[in-house]
Structure formats: structure tokens, C-alpha cells
Amino acid sequence: MPLKENQILNGVMLNAYPDSIGKNLGDAIKMLQNEAFKNTFSFFYILPTFFNSDLDRGFSIIDYNLNKELVSAKDLKELKKLNIQLKFDIVLNHLSVNSPQFKDLLKNGENSKYKDFFINWNEFWKENGTLNDNGVVVPQEKYLEKLFMRKIGLPVLKVPFPDGTEKPYWNTFYQEVKHKKISVETLASLKEVAVTEKKEIVKKVNEIIENNQPISSFKLEKKEHLTKKIKQIVQQNSTFLGQMDVNANSELLWEFYEKTLAKLKEYGCKILRLDAFAYLHKEVGKSNFFNKPGTWQHLNKIEEIAQKNNLILLPEIHAEYGANLHDEVAENGYQIYDFFLPGLIIHALEKNTNQALYNWINEIINKGYKTVNMLGCHDGIPFLDLKGKTVNNKYYKGLLEDDEIEAVMETVIERGGRVKNLYDPSGKKISYYQVNATYFSALGEHEQKLLLARAIQLFVPGIAQIWYLDLFAGRNNYNAVKKGGTGAHKEINRTSLSNKDIEEGLKKPIVKNQLKLIRLRNTSNAFNGKIIVENSAKNELHIKWQNNDDYAILRANLTNFSFSVKFTENKIEKKITF
């Protein structure tokens, strides 16, 4: 029997890459067509390798056309038959260097139609900074100290232009520059340099490349002009990728968004996650993270386009609870990502207390937040989000105290998690950010804890988003981290499952029991009613959903992790004990 619309909008969401299960999206759909998955999912959040991309596992978009290696038009028809609606990302802050727009800029330089589509760093800061020896404007200290950084150093990528110059473009997130080793023949244009000296130069340059040092460190004493020429030759023999920040003041950008949202609607999109939207607005003297009022103005423009396409927006934002940005976004009528829940559930299970978790659930209820929640995901387990924050010289408490957060983080790290931090422009660590781990490994690979964590997630208000690997109790993949090298910490929780892995997994009680709970959450009319958080001992959880005669009740013990779910099905009371 098809689910009702209100059930769908309050249902459960699968989360995966197109090739997380089997070799392509078609294999994931075959899994969903399996009887074991009947009525379990109303949504499918397909990560952006669904589109053409080249870096950061999909979040460096080339264009929003189907990635035909992984996705077909037939797949979209099959998902529609399953009554599954889709959630996609639009990456508002950036596009790939390989996007048609940036390639046109590289080809045509100042004559490009897209000259102002991206942000020339030096042009942006020219009146408010000083040009350094590397040809990059360094903002004045009073501006630099305000910048919110996602990586060490200035957020730029220098790109080659047709006139032989290199220009720095704003690059908040990932970049990948690969220098190819040179030879004496590579330096053939340097007629004034003897072969013996060329051999010495080649040796120096290749040592720098082998040791992954910046090519800017290469220097020939008292030969600045020659040093510059050699660096240019090395750059010309390099390949680079990057997520290039777009210019929100460009009319062409907003035309691009108009076309993109219409295209996503045609694919079957219902919920649109706004990735990195808080970085879109840029202004001298601001932090360039959720600048006000500029960010709200941009968000309102996106909302107008979304309404024309019947899309629900989900702004993605990581910020301390004490900053109250989640509250501002919700007050303006948007769904919010519940990045608080994953850490709170780990804290509740490790410290055997409901207090912080109850506080957050009650806030969701009392303020009427519309959320999408999660345990694990393609990214890490958030911890920055739980912190307090000082705003305008006033401190606002977090959902957990700093020492509580650090204790939980240390537990997850001791169990093999990889930590990700934030830095200031000088490279100094300013805050922890997240820990990369599968949720199962974060819980000590304790099956009963994982099952209870899933039950709690499903009884918390909001659309419950389920990471495919957690559903199958996936463990930390250390080999993938090692193989991926620098920056591959996220691969710890992105292991692809073969069709055989799925077949074997469906025989395991931890998978079967999760699917039972997910099906109940996705289909029971009780969850379209009222939630009541009942008084209980600190080491227990009592949560009830009631809708007329239909109800679902979770009673859990946070010390031994046992729990029961009592519910009605076709007016008959049933109970499952785990």
C-alpha cells in the first residue's frame, strides 16, 4: 500500500553515493526492490557523484548533468515506481576548475563571458592588502584576523592564464595541485643555462616534488629572474583541481542557479541541501561565514527559485550551538540539519545519562524545528556543533560542556577515529571540528549500542537520514585512509558494499532489527502525531508518539542498552524487546 503524503514528508531517508552499493545506482535500486526493504525508505539522499564532478568525492561539481558512468534515466524511473523521492545537493559556494564556466575563463582570460563568475582574490582585496613575493595580496591584519578558514594558509589557488601569467582565485575548500617531475629537456627554452647547471636545477626541483614541498620554496641564489622562469615552467607542467568560489554578485551565477534547480526538479528532487551556502556571501571586513545580512539575502533569492520548482530547502551549516545560527535558520521557516544528535547520542550511551539528549529533544519540540537528523554520514561525526560560543562579549552555553565534548571525542578517537580541526590563517589550531569514523566503530563496535542509537534516532522528531554503511554495521576502513594519503581521513567511513556484502548483511540480526525499526518509523501513523518525552530516571529514555488511537513507545535503559518498542498496527498492540 502506498504511503500517504504526510508519512512521506515525515519518513526515513537512505543516504549513499551512487556507487556505495554495488557498482552503480542501479545496484542500489535492486537492493531497495528487495522484499527486506519494502516500505523502509521514503527518501534517498544521493550524494553528488550523481552529477559530473572531479574532487572531494562529488562536491567539486563540473556540471549538474547525470554522471552516466553511475546513473541512468532508467534509475530515476525505477525510484519513482518505488515511491522514493530524492534529496540532492546544490553546492552554492563553488564549482570545479573543470566546469564549463571556469574553463572558458582560463581559455579567454579577460575576454571571457565568465570573467566575474568567479572571484579573483587580488581584485577583491587590492584596496585592502599588500602584494607578497608570491604575487598574492595579503589582506590587512584587521581583515585577515576576521576570516573564517577551512584550511591552513590563504584560501587561494593560482591558475594559469592565456597571457602566461598566474592569477589567484578564491578557493575556500579543496585543491589538488600535482607537479610533474622535470628533465633537462623540459628546460630546453632556457638557452642561456648550461647543461650542467640544468642537471642541478632538475635535481633540486624533483627533490622538492618528491618531498611534496611547495614549488615556491625553490630558489637560485642571486638569480631571481631565472628562478621565476623555472617556477613558471614547473607550473605549466602541472595539473590542478580546485573548488573555485563563485561570485554571488554575478547575474550569470543566478541564471545558472535558475537552470540548475529546474533540472534537479526534473530528476525527481524534493529536498535540496544547500551545501556550503554560509560561505557564499563575501565582504571585506566580514568573517565570510554567514555574513549578515548578505547571507540572508542570498538565501531568500534561492528560496524564490526553489518555490517555483516545488523544492524544500535544507541549508547545511556547521556552527556552534551557542552561535544560535540553527535557531535563526529555523525561525526563518527552513528545515535544519540536526548535526547535534550524533554526538548527543554517543554521550548518552557512553555516560549513561539522558539529560543533554532530553534537553535537545525538548528544544526541537518546543520550538517546532523541522529537521533532518542522522547518526553517521559521508562526512564526519560533528562535535564543533555541540559547543557554546561567545557572541558580542556574551557567552551562550553549548549542549555539552567543553570537557564533556572532549571526553566523548577522545573515546571515539581511541576507537580509531580520525580528528579534523579548524585553523586560523597562520596555521594555528583554533577548534576541533569533527571526528571521522563509522558510527558502529565510534560506539566500540557494540551491536546493542548501535541498535539502541538507531531506535533513539527514529524516535526523535524529523526525517531520519540513514547512512548505508551504518545500516550494515560497517567498521572503520583504515586501509582506505592509508591508501588515500593526505586528506583521505573521510574514506574511513565510505567503504563500498558489493552485492554479496548486501546479501550476507541481510542475514545478520543487527541489520534485520534496524530494518524493523526503520519500517515502523516510516509507516506508522503514530509518528504523524504528537511526541511526549516522559519523565524517567537519568539512565533511561521514555519517548511516546501518539496520533489518535495509534501510538509508538520507546523505553530504553542507557546502562545496559536494552530497550523495547510498543506500538499499534491495524489497531492491534504489539511489542518488540531488544
Side-chain angles (χ1 to χ4, degrees), residues 20-37:
S20 289
I21 296 157
K23 295 181 179 179
N24 52 42
L25 186 58
D27 285 336
I29 291 169
K30 285 175 187 173
M31 181 192 79
L32 291 169
Q33 290 169 334
N34 187 306
E35 186 66 22
F37 285 84

Side-chain angles (χ1 to χ4, degrees), residues 115 177 490 497:
K115 177 177 178 285
V177 180
K490 294 181 182 180
L497 300 177

Side-chain angles (χ1 to χ4, degrees), residues 181-371:
K181 287 186 181 180
I182 65 171
S183 64
V184 171
E185 288 72 24
T186 310
L187 304 179
S189 62
L190 302 178
K191 305 293 186 185
E192 72 276 25
V193 181
V195 173
T196 52
E197 187 177 1
K198 284 181 180 178
K199 288 180 180 178
E200 287 299 315
I201 291 169
V202 167
K203 184 180 177 182
K204 281 185 179 180
V205 168
N206 288 344
E207 281 179 358
I208 288 171
I209 292 171
E210 285 172 4
N211 294 321
N212 292 316
Q213 294 173 336
I215 202 64
S216 59
S217 65
F218 173 76
K219 188 175 181 180
L220 294 173
E221 291 297 329
K222 299 180 181 180
K223 294 184 178 180
E224 290 183 13
H225 183 66
L226 183 57
T227 298
K228 186 176 180 180
K229 275 188 176 182
I230 292 166
K231 287 180 181 178
Q232 286 177 345
I233 290 170
V234 174
Q235 295 291 0
Q236 288 164 2
N237 281 273
S238 301
T239 59
F240 62 93
L241 296 174
Q243 296 165 296
M244 312 312 293
D245 289 38
V246 293
N247 178 11
N249 295 318
S250 166
E251 290 184 12
L252 286 177
L253 179 68
W254 292 95
E255 289 177 18
F256 172 74
Y257 289 155
E258 289 268 7
K259 291 175 183 176
T260 299
L261 267 64
K263 184 179 290 187
L264 299 183
K265 178 189 177 182
E266 290 301 310
Y267 292 154
C269 183
K270 183 68 177 178
I271 296 178
L272 184 59
R273 177 180 180 266
L274 305 182
D275 182 75
F277 88 96
Y279 297 88
L280 181 61
H281 184 267
K282 308 284 198 296
E283 185 177 338
V284 172
K286 299 279 190 177
S287 72
N288 294 310
F289 176 80
F290 215 113
N291 295 339
K292 300 175 188 177
T295 299
W296 287 117
Q297 292 165 355
H298 293 340
L299 195 53
N300 290 338
K301 286 177 76 171
I302 286 288
E303 174 65 19
E304 288 176 13
I305 304 171
Q307 286 181 4
K308 287 189 283 188
N309 293 284
N310 195 30
L311 300 176
I312 300 169
L313 294 185
L314 175 59
E316 180 259 355
I317 180 170
H318 278 290
E320 298 91 338
Y321 172 86
N324 289 315
L325 288 181
H326 68 283
D327 196 47
E328 284 189 50
V329 173
E331 282 183 350
N332 279 271
Y334 295 99
Q335 279 190 322
I336 59 172
Y337 233 132
D338 186 351
F339 287 126
F340 310 108
L341 189 63
L344 289 174
I345 289 180
I346 295 175
H347 175 262
L349 296 179
E350 296 302 323
K351 302 302 179 182
N352 317 116
T353 174
N354 63 26
Q355 190 171 357
L357 183 58
Y358 266 5
N359 288 343
W360 172 236
I361 296 172
N362 282 319
E363 183 174 344
I364 295 173
I365 296 167
N366 295 335
K367 294 191 174 181
Y369 292 154
K370 297 174 183 174
T371 68

Side-chain angles (χ1 to χ4, degrees), residues 49 75 155 160 175-176 248 290 329 338 349 354 386 403-404 406 423 442 453 495 530 535 550 575:
T49 47
D75 295 334
Q175 61 175 253
E176 184 180 284
F290 215 113
V329 173
D338 186 351
L349 296 179
N354 63 26
L386 297 170
D403 59 343
E404 293 177 300
E406 288 171 11
Y423 300 88
T495 307
K530 184 179 180 182
N535 291 329
D550 293 309
K575 184 177 181 180

Side-chain angles (χ1 to χ4, degrees), residues 387-545:
K387 283 172 61 69
K389 188 175 178 68
T390 300
V391 180
N392 296 327
N393 298 318
K394 182 178 179 181
Y395 181 74
Y396 295 88
K397 286 188 65 175
L399 286 166
L400 293 175
E401 298 295 334
D402 283 0
D403 59 343
E404 293 177 300
I405 297 171
E406 288 171 11
V408 175
M409 282 182 66
E410 283 304 314
T411 298
V412 177
I413 292 167
E414 285 170 9
R415 292 169 178 170
R418 300 290 195 263
V419 69
K420 171 72 183 295
N421 296 314
L422 294 175
Y423 300 88
D424 69 13
S426 69
K428 179 184 175 184
K429 174 186 167 183
I430 55 174
S431 180
Y432 48 77
Y433 184 49
Q434 60 189 17
V435 177
N436 296 99
T438 71
Y439 211 75
F440 184 47
S441 290
L443 293 172
E445 299 180 1
H446 190 299
E447 290 192 358
Q448 187 64 21
K449 281 186 185 178
L450 177 63
L451 193 59
L452 176 53
R454 181 70 66 212
I456 295 169
Q457 179 199 14
L458 294 167
F459 270 76
V460 171
I463 294 173
Q465 181 177 292
I466 313 289
W467 184 235
Y468 76 100
L469 197 56
D470 292 337
L471 177 59
F472 288 90
R475 292 177 164 84
N476 286 345
N477 189 336
Y478 304 111
N479 287 334
V481 175
K482 186 177 180 180
K483 185 178 178 182
T486 304
H489 48 279
K490 294 181 182 180
E491 297 306 312
I492 202 168
N493 187 30
R494 295 177 175 179
T495 307
S496 293
L497 300 177
S498 67
N499 293 328
K500 186 175 181 182
D501 291 331
I502 302 300
E503 184 182 335
E504 292 299 314
L506 287 172
K507 298 174 184 177
K508 297 177 181 177
I510 183 61
V511 180
K512 290 180 179 179
N513 286 331
Q514 283 190 79
L515 288 171
K516 279 182 192 176
L517 293 168
I518 290 168
R519 186 176 294 105
L520 173 66
R521 178 66 175 84
N522 197 54
T523 60
S524 172
N525 191 45
F527 292 98
N528 296 306
K530 184 179 180 182
I531 180 175
I532 303 162
V533 179
E534 299 177 341
N535 291 329
S536 65
K538 282 189 177 181
N539 71 328
E540 295 180 355
L541 278 174
H542 296 170
I543 303 175
K544 179 179 182 179
W545 285 85

